[in-house]
């Protein structure tokens, strides 16, 4: 008697084999690894490395700045040095000295014409009033210009102070000469004096003596002929010649302030060596290390907590979709195998971003655009799910804006973030319906184009875009899309083989009729080949009605009976109305031949290295169903011979295992339905419904669905889908009720 492989031990092994894939403890461990992955990916940017350093000790290694900061102390020193380099500013004050001279001559002319005043009194008046005229003139000038924008108050004060210090003392004998001057002489002296004063005060004078030394030369060269006139004019001219260039304290202070403001800050750039190995830690260096938050003794753990919380949020975003979006559909929940693959994809994509960020330099400031950010989103979409790919695209956008942020002036780099969003979402939308490997390259080109346009737009937004850097950025971004496509094409087989996953691309490739096994099926067993195609149509529609993988059911159906190619003529669809070899065989031998095709098919598929889900469908589509025909034939033969049948029902059952997935169970149902309907000459709708219902009920009663997750509601949906597909496929052979049966009977009159 053959051993039933689907017995208790086989079921236990199956549950043990599948147990780790649904293990809750392992699921939490994988989620914890996601948190660690996100944390360490971002911690290098958000949390600088700290060192155990004390003041006065020597550094054991070079310490580089983890991010850019402004050296406040050095900046202040640079500003003070810039302020000290500002020379004192001197401003010109236009005193109009010739006006003062006119007032003096007017007073002399007025006083000389007064005959009531003696000459001695006039001398006393000149001795007293002429110097006073100078002071009053200066006071009136200060008063007239105070509060105006022409001269500052400090400049006027400085002017009054300096002019007072440099006032000229008129010799005593000059006052004795003035009362003797006639009006005609005063007029001539006034003209000459004005010319001399105007000429000498036209130049800037910080010292009045500089101009006064030139007075005698100019007066002697004038038209005055009398010595008395010349001497008097010289003294009066020297009196009114005053300094006109003064130290401007306010302007000097403003210039120093401007110099400080224009002094660029002293910046410690990211990567600059702050302390060299063996260098003593001075107070200045210690302060820089404190500013850079590089000392362990002053470490705060708030940044670490923030990165940890952000990592948990990222992990919850993945878990929320992977485990909670379809709680009523168990088939949509990710197994631990898929979680592990997702973790590997995230780790690989993050590693690629870090490697590109590591190559950043001043010569290549925009090499970050070369990072294949869309790699992870594209792999997730192809291997798992489009919607999970969109969630991953969002997370990769956030990671790219952190990992590629080399400037460190913000937590997230907007430039890389928006470009990462553009390429990641473009990749998902361009690849989610891919049916050929060439579609990956097309998606890569789409990533290149949309990414390049985004980079160009960001570059043009800048106030003064650098053309060379803009071309460099666009070039890196275009290369990134092509690099993404190459990496995806190279990594797809690795993930498919390592994790036993079947992508839609792989399934479409396997459905090619030129595959050696399908060509063998077509040439050696054309009836089975046609039967497999029909089963594929039925199972695909049924699978899609319950959310299972319709493409896997179709392709699995193409290969599910490939084992029949070993003994094609023992299967009725290949006999073409000829002799049936089972008529000459013992029932047990016939049953063994029929039963063997499932195991033979699985072995042939394994030999041709077809993926395990396809092999499972071939091995499990009959489950442990019972070959009633040959068992009853054996019982009848034993009865005719008058002996008791030596076989039991178990000897006429398929060895299994039972269907472990929805897809294997659906292909098994479709296989039976297609064979049963094909055996009818002109089936009716009622017959089709009855056959489908009976096949499903028999398998349900035989516990064939106990090890897969099909529900009774899903079985009803499968039955409806199979009925609709069969009616559409065998339309010309189906007998419908006569039209007259639908007409109401005439009433009897």
């Amino acid at each position: 008697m053959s051993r039933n492989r689907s017995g208790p031990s086989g079921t236990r092994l199956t549950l043990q084999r599948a147990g780790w894939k649904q293990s809750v403890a392992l699921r939490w461990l994988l989620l914890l690894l996601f948190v660690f992955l996100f944390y360490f990916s971002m911690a290098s940017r958000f949390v600088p490395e700290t060192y155990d350093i004390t003041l006065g000790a020597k550094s054991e290694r070079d310490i580089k700045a983890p991010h850019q900061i402004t050296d406040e102390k050095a900046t202040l020193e640079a500003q003070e040095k810039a302020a000290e380099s500002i020379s004192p500013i001197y401003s010109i004050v236009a005193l109009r000295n010739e006006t003062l001279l006119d007032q003096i001559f007017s007073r002399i002319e007025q006083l000389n014409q007064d005959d009531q005043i003696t000459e001695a009194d006039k001398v006393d008046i000149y001795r007293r009033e002429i110097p006073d005229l100078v002071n009053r003139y200066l006071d009136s000038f200060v008063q007239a210009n105070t509060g105006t924008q022409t001269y500052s108050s400090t400049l006027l004060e400085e002017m009054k102070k300096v002019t007072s210090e440099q006032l000229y003392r008129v010799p005593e004998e000059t006052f004795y000469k003035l009362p003797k001057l006639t009006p005609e002489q005063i007029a001539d002296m006034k003209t000459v004096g004005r010319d001399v004063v105007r000429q000498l005060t036209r130049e800037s004078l910080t010292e009045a003596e500089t101009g006064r030394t030139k007075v005698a030369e100019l007066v002697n060269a004038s038209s005055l002929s009398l010595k008395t006139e010349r001497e008097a004019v010289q003294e009066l001219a020297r009196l009114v010649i005053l300094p006109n260039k003064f130290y401007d304290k306010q302007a000097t202070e403003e210039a120093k302030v401007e110099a400080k403001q224009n002094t660029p800050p002293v910046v410690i750039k990211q990567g600059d060596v702050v302390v060299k190995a063996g260098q003593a830690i001075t107070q200045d260096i210690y302060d820089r290390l404190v500013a850079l938050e590089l000392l362990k003794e002053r470490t705060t753990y708030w940044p670490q907590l923030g990165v940890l919380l952000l990592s948990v949020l990222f992990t919850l975003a993945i878990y929320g979709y992977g485990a909670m979006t379809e709680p009523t559909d168990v088939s949509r929940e990710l197994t631990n195998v898929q979680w592990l693959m997702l973790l590997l994809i995230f780790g690989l994509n993050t590693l690629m971003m870090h490697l590109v960020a590591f190559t950043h330099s001043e010569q290549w400031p925009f090499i970050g655009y070369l990072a294949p950010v869309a790699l992870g989103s594209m792999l997730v979409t192809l291997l798992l799910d489009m919607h999970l790919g969109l969630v991953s695209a969002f997370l990769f956008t956030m990671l790219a804006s952190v990992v590629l942020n080399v400037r460190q002036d913000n937590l997230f780099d907007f430039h890389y973030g928006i470009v990462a969003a553009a390429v990641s979402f473009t990749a998902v939308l361009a690849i989610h319906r891919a049916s050929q490997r060439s579609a990956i390259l097309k998606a890569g080109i789409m990533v290149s184009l949309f990414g390049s346009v985004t980079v160009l737009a960001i570059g043009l937004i800048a106030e003064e875009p650098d053309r060379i850097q803009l071309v460099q950025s666009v070039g890196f971004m275009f290369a990134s899309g092509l690099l993404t496509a190459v990496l995806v094409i190279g990594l797809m087989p690795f993930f498919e083989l390592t994790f036993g996953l079947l992508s839609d691309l792989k399934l479409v490739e396997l459905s090619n009729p030129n595959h050696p096994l399908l060509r063998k099926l077509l040439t050696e067993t054309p009836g089975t080949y046609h039967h497999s195609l029909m089963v594929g149509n039925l199972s695909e529609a049924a699978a899609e009605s319950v959310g299972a993988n319709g493409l896997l059911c179709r392709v699995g159906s193409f290969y599910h009976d490939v084992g029949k190619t070993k003994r094609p003529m023992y299967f009725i669809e290949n006999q073409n109305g000829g002799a049936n070899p089972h008529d000459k065989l013992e029932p047990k031998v016939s049953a063994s031949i029929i039963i063997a095709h499932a195991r033979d098919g699985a072995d042939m598929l394994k030999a041709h290295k077809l993926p395990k889900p396809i092999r499972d469908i071939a091995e499990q589509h009959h489950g442990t169903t019972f070959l009633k025909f040959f068992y009853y034939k054996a019982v009848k033969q034993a009865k005719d011979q008058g002996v008791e049948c030596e076989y039991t029902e178990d000897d006429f059952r398929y060895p299994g295992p039972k269907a472990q997935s929805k897809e294997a169970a659906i292909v098994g149902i479709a296989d039976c339905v297609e064979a049963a309907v094909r055996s009818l000459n002109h089936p009716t709708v009622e017959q089709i419904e009855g056959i489908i219902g009976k096949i499903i009920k028999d398998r349900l009663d035989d516990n064939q669905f106990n090890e897969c997750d099909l529900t009774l509601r899903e079985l009803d949906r499968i039955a409806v889908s199979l009925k609709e597909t069969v009616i559409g496929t065998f339309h010309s052979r189906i007998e419908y009720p006569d039209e007259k049966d639908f007409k109401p009977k005439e009433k009897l009159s």
Side-chain angles (χ1 to χ4, degrees):
M1 293 177 65
S2 61
R3 184 176 178 180
N4 187 355
R5 298 182 58 203
S6 64
S9 61
T11 302
R12 190 180 304 111
L13 289 174
T14 300
L15 291 175
Q16 290 175 353
R17 184 167 58 249
W20 74 271
K21 297 180 180 179
Q22 302 295 337
S23 171
V24 176
L26 182 58
R27 180 77 51 83
W28 281 109
L29 176 60
L30 291 172
L31 292 176
L32 185 61
L33 291 177
F34 266 105
V35 174
F36 287 157
L37 172 63
F38 291 136
Y39 179 85
F40 289 109
S41 296
M42 297 184 291
S44 60
R45 299 297 184 190
F46 291 153
V47 182
E49 183 181 1
T50 57
Y51 303 90
D52 187 10
I53 293 177
T54 57
L55 187 63
K58 291 185 177 180
S59 176
E60 298 179 354
R61 53 178 292 186
D62 288 347
I63 299 178
K64 297 182 179 181
H67 54 83
Q68 179 174 301
I69 66 166
T70 300
D71 191 336
E72 299 294 343
K73 185 175 182 180
T75 300
L76 288 175
E77 291 177 354
Q79 290 176 348
E80 292 299 329
K81 187 176 181 180
E84 291 174 0
S85 65
I86 299 297
S87 301
I89 296 176
Y90 287 82
S91 298
I92 302 293
V93 177
L95 290 173
R96 296 186 179 181
N97 306 65
E98 63 273 15
T99 302
L100 175 59
L101 185 63
D102 287 345
Q103 293 179 5
I104 293 174
F105 275 112
S106 295
R107 178 56 176 160
I108 295 172
E109 184 178 5
Q110 177 189 3
L111 194 60
N112 285 355
Q113 290 178 358
D114 191 347
D115 297 334
Q116 301 298 322
I117 302 175
T118 64
E119 185 173 331
D121 292 336
K122 291 180 180 178
V123 171
D124 291 335
I125 293 174
Y126 290 142
R127 184 184 297 114
R128 183 178 65 253
E129 289 190 2
I130 289 179
D132 189 53
L133 280 173
V134 177
N135 290 326
R136 282 187 293 167
Y137 179 80
L138 294 174
D139 290 339
S140 63
F141 183 88
V142 170
Q143 185 177 2
N145 289 278
T146 299
T148 64
Q149 296 181 352
T150 308
Y151 306 111
S152 64
S153 59
T154 56
L155 179 60
L156 292 174
E157 291 176 2
E158 181 69 13
M159 182 271 296
K160 187 68 170 63
K161 174 186 174 184
V162 173
T163 53
S164 298
E165 292 174 351
Q166 298 187 27
L167 279 178
Y168 181 74
R169 288 181 62 84
V170 179
E172 187 69 17
E173 60 269 18
T174 302
F175 297 126
Y176 288 95
K177 297 174 183 179
L178 297 180
K180 300 175 182 180
L181 297 175
T182 65
E184 291 77 11
Q185 289 177 321
I186 292 173
D188 294 338
M189 292 169 61
K190 183 178 180 179
T191 302
V192 172
R194 284 177 60 86
D195 292 340
V196 171
V197 171
R198 186 183 296 112
Q199 183 176 350
L200 292 177
T201 56
R202 192 178 299 161
E203 302 175 359
S204 60
L205 298 173
T206 56
E207 295 291 336
E209 192 61 30
T210 304
R212 291 167 183 169
T213 57
K214 300 177 182 180
V215 171
E217 179 182 355
L218 295 176
V219 172
N220 291 332
S222 67
S223 60
L224 296 177
S225 58
L226 296 177
K227 180 180 180 181
T228 303
E229 294 176 352
R230 292 197 300 270
E231 289 176 352
V233 169
Q234 289 178 19
E235 297 305 327
L236 293 177
R238 290 190 180 102
L239 175 64
V240 299
I241 292 178
L242 300 169
N244 59 6
K245 186 176 182 182
F246 308 95
Y247 169 67
D248 194 338
K249 182 179 180 181
Q250 181 174 336
T252 303
E253 293 299 327
E254 291 176 353
K256 289 183 177 182
V257 171
E258 185 178 359
K260 289 182 179 180
Q261 293 176 346
N262 293 335
T263 301
V266 179
V267 174
I268 300 176
K269 297 181 179 180
Q270 180 186 9
D272 286 353
V273 177
V274 182
V275 184
K276 294 183 179 179
Q279 185 178 1
I281 305 300
T282 63
Q283 186 63 50
D284 290 344
I285 295 176
Y286 190 84
D287 293 340
R288 291 193 188 100
L289 295 176
V290 171
L292 288 165
E293 300 177 349
L294 293 174
L295 297 181
K296 284 187 177 180
E297 62 184 29
R298 301 205 176 190
T299 300
T300 61
Y301 295 96
W302 296 116
Q304 290 89 329
L305 179 60
V307 176
L308 180 61
L309 291 176
L310 195 60
S311 303
V312 172
L313 289 176
F314 284 1
T315 304
L316 288 177
I318 302 177
Y319 178 76
Y321 179 83
M324 297 182 179
T325 52
E326 294 286 344
T328 60
D329 189 356
V330 181
S331 66
R332 289 293 301 275
E333 294 183 3
L334 298 182
T335 65
N336 289 335
V337 174
Q338 293 168 318
W339 279 111
L340 180 60
M341 181 180 66
L342 190 62
L343 177 64
L344 184 59
I345 292 174
F346 268 80
L348 180 63
N349 202 25
T350 306
L351 176 63
M352 296 298 294
M353 288 190 286
H354 275 285
L355 289 176
V356 173
F358 183 75
T359 61
H360 175 267
S361 64
E362 294 184 358
Q363 290 77 19
W364 304 102
F366 298 102
I367 198 172
Y369 290 121
L370 184 61
V373 179
L375 170 65
S377 303
M378 199 176 291
L379 286 174
V380 172
T381 303
L382 288 172
L383 296 172
L384 293 173
D385 179 73
M386 171 190 173
H387 300 289
L388 188 58
L390 292 174
V391 175
S392 301
F394 168 75
L395 295 178
F396 286 131
T397 296
M398 301 298 293
L399 287 174
S401 64
V402 174
V403 175
L404 300 176
N405 181 17
V406 295
R407 296 184 299 174
Q408 297 293 330
D409 49 356
N410 290 307
L411 292 179
F412 300 89
D413 193 322
F414 163 78
H415 301 85
Y416 289 114
I418 192 171
V419 172
V423 299
S424 296
F425 287 102
T426 298
V428 174
L429 298 176
I431 203 67
H432 77 283
R433 292 184 178 178
S435 59
Q436 296 179 347
R437 298 282 176 181
S438 59
I440 298 177
L441 181 59
K442 294 179 182 178
I445 295 175
M446 292 290 290
V447 168
S448 295
L449 293 176
F450 278 88
S452 299
V453 171
T454 306
V455 171
L456 181 62
I458 294 176
L460 293 176
I461 291 174
E463 295 182 0
E464 295 181 0
D466 188 314
R467 293 185 179 180
I468 296 178
Q469 291 185 348
L470 190 59
V471 172
Q472 183 187 109
S473 302
V474 173
F476 279 134
M477 186 63 253
F478 195 87
S480 173
L482 300 181
L483 177 62
T484 300
V486 172
L487 290 174
V488 171
I489 293 174
L491 290 171
M492 280 290 292
F494 165 77
F495 283 103
E496 290 172 343
L497 293 175
T498 303
F499 295 95
L501 295 178
L502 268 178
S503 66
D504 289 349
L505 296 178
K506 184 66 175 179
L507 286 171
V508 172
E509 289 179 358
L510 292 175
S511 66
N512 191 333
N514 291 322
H515 191 280
L517 285 179
L518 293 183
R519 290 185 62 82
K520 180 180 179 68
L521 197 66
L522 174 62
T523 56
E524 298 180 9
T525 57
T528 300
Y529 180 79
H530 180 265
H531 160 71
S532 299
L533 295 182
M534 300 302 294
V535 173
N537 294 334
L538 295 174
S539 62
E540 182 179 27
E544 291 177 350
S545 69
V546 295
N549 191 335
L551 185 57
L552 175 58
C553 286
R554 169 180 283 276
V555 179
S557 299
F558 291 170
Y559 292 91
H560 81 289
D561 275 345
V562 72
K564 293 180 179 180
T565 57
K566 285 196 172 184
R567 304 174 187 86
M569 299 310 298
Y570 287 88
F571 299 91
I572 190 169
E573 66 266 21
N574 299 315
Q575 293 171 2
N576 296 323
N580 189 345
H582 290 289
D583 295 338
K584 301 178 182 180
L585 296 177
E586 291 291 327
K588 185 63 177 71
V589 176
S590 296
S592 299
I593 294 173
I594 299 299
I595 289 172
H597 87 275
R599 168 53 59 184
D600 292 339
D603 292 341
M604 292 175 66
L605 294 174
K606 186 175 183 180
H608 283 76
K609 298 181 179 180
L610 265 74
K612 191 174 185 302
I614 303 294
R615 303 201 307 267
D616 289 342
I617 289 176
E619 186 179 18
Q620 300 168 12
H621 72 281
H622 282 296
T624 59
T625 53
F626 177 39
L627 291 174
K628 297 179 181 179
F629 176 80
F630 292 109
Y631 173 70
Y632 292 141
K633 182 179 179 181
V635 171
K636 183 177 182 303
Q637 287 181 353
K639 185 177 180 180
D640 292 342
Q641 295 174 5
V643 296
E644 185 178 352
C645 183
E646 59 178 323
Y647 302 112
T648 65
E649 290 186 6
D650 289 343
D651 294 319
F652 288 85
R653 282 185 177 274
Y654 282 90
K658 296 178 181 179
Q660 303 294 305
S661 64
K662 287 184 179 181
E663 289 77 14
I666 291 171
V667 171
I669 296 172
D671 180 41
C672 290
V673 169
E674 197 282 332
V677 173
R678 180 165 38 86
S679 65
L680 301 175
N681 289 327
H682 295 284
T684 64
V685 174
E686 290 79 5
Q687 285 179 314
I688 292 174
E689 289 180 346
I691 289 174
I692 295 174
K694 184 177 186 302
I695 290 173
I696 293 177
K697 183 177 184 303
D698 288 346
R699 293 209 167 202
L700 188 62
D701 293 340
D702 199 22
N703 299 321
Q704 295 300 315
F705 304 135
N706 284 6
E707 297 180 13
C708 67
D709 49 10
L710 280 175
T711 64
L712 292 176
R713 178 176 296 179
E714 288 174 338
L715 288 174
D716 290 340
R717 294 176 184 170
I718 290 172
V720 172
S721 175
L722 289 173
K723 183 190 74 173
E724 293 174 351
T725 308
V726 168
I727 291 175
T729 304
F730 299 96
H731 186 274
S732 60
R733 291 173 47 195
I734 296 175
E735 293 184 353
Y736 289 89
D738 196 343
E739 185 178 355
K740 66 182 180 181
D741 294 336
F742 293 99
K743 292 182 179 180
K745 296 180 179 179
E746 295 180 0
K747 294 182 179 180
L748 297 175
S749 56

